Amino acid sequence: MKAGIIGSGIVGRVLASALLKEGNEVILGTRNPAKEEVVKWKSENTGGNVGTFEEAAAFGELIILATKGAIAADAVRLAGPANFTGKTVIDTTNPIAEAPPVNGVLQYFTSPNQSLMESLQELLPEAHLVKAFNSVGANKMYKPDYKEIVPTMFICGNNEAAKKMVTSILTTFGWETEDLGKIEAARAIEPLAMLWCIPGMLNKQWTHAFKLLKQ
């Protein structure tokens, strides 16, 4: 599979490396190919390529949006909305505001009844967005080791085939998938990042993940 990553921060680099390890072709999209972290990633991932957001989006059969939430829409516009048409897009973003956390609780720029994912879907009406990878640290996104416990990744989206593709990727990456339905569920999934970050903000604990228990 060909994958285009929009964003060269830690999330984008981790997921790009993971996809390469699983035998996929990858372009890591960046606005600054000379950035130290990008150069280092390329040297450590010789099978991968680096390009612009537009090149990554045009290349990918699968696109992963891995920017800060505040610049996600601008990144999509730079990548060219037409390049997303008909494609599965994994949306890892969270609507984190610039304001500092309050007692360890992140502040969001969205309201309870509107998610960032819904706004991005409006910008990309012909793409198949699936929310995933937004509620865990980058260091645990690929092959997380919790001994015998398989952590849960919550996803949502309007296209069943796209969610099936993302579920397959998550299984390969070592996750159990819980499909929470249509895009409106992002209003509940995105705040999981807020919950996930509290132990980190308060206790410097950044290696945990969520698990949904069923009986």
Side-chain angles (χ1 to χ4, degrees):
M1 180 173 60
K2 295 179 178 179
I5 315 298
I6 309 301
S8 58
I10 184 61
V11 171
R13 299 197 309 273
V14 165
L15 293 177
S17 296
L19 287 165
L20 281 171
K21 288 176 183 176
E22 295 300 329
N24 302 286
E25 299 177 62
V26 175
I27 289 182
L28 179 67
T30 181
R31 284 193 272 195
N32 182 11
K35 187 167 66 173
E36 181 180 350
E37 296 88 346
V38 174
V39 173
K40 184 173 185 290
W41 179 87
K42 184 64 176 69
S43 69
E44 295 174 347
N45 296 271
T46 54
N49 292 301
V50 173
T52 64
F53 286 172
E54 186 175 15
E55 288 169 336
F59 173 81
E61 300 164 306
L62 167 73
I63 298 174
I64 298 181
L65 186 56
T67 67
K68 289 183 178 180
I71 64 169
D74 288 340
V76 165
R77 295 185 185 99
L78 285 173
N83 288 321
F84 293 77
T85 300
K87 297 179 180 180
T88 296
V89 180
I90 297 178
D91 172 23
T92 74
T93 66
N94 287 306
I96 300 171
E98 294 297 328
V102 178
N103 294 321
V105 180
L106 295 173
Q107 298 191 57
Y108 275 14
F109 57 76
T110 50
S111 69
N113 294 318
Q114 177 71 25
S115 66
L116 176 58
M117 182 185 179
E118 289 171 281
S119 299
L120 295 171
Q121 184 70 81
E122 290 175 4
L123 189 60
L124 297 168
E126 302 302 321
H128 308 310
L129 269 65
V130 180
K131 178 67 71 175
F133 294 111
N134 75 299
S135 58
V136 71
N139 64 339
K140 294 292 184 180
M141 289 182 174
Y142 181 63
K143 305 290 186 180
D145 182 9
Y146 293 101
K147 297 184 179 180
E148 297 180 2
I149 299 173
V150 179
T152 304
M153 183 67 67
F154 298 95
I155 72 168
C156 69
N158 288 340
N159 185 276
E160 296 303 317
K163 288 193 287 185
K164 185 176 180 180
M165 177 192 288
V166 174
T167 296
S168 178
I169 292 169
L170 286 165
T171 300
T172 300
F173 280 22
W175 287 86
E176 167 191 81
T177 300
E178 184 68 22
D179 182 354
L180 297 185
K182 301 296 184 180
I183 194 170
E184 291 79 11
R187 301 173 194 175
I189 296 175
E190 288 178 357
L192 288 177
M194 195 182 295
L195 178 60
W196 184 87
C197 283
I198 292 173
M201 296 287 186
L202 298 182
N203 304 315
K204 308 302 181 185
Q205 176 187 321
W206 298 103
T207 59
H208 50 289
F210 293 113
K211 175 66 177 180
L212 181 65
L213 300 179
K214 298 179 181 180
Q215 194 172 39

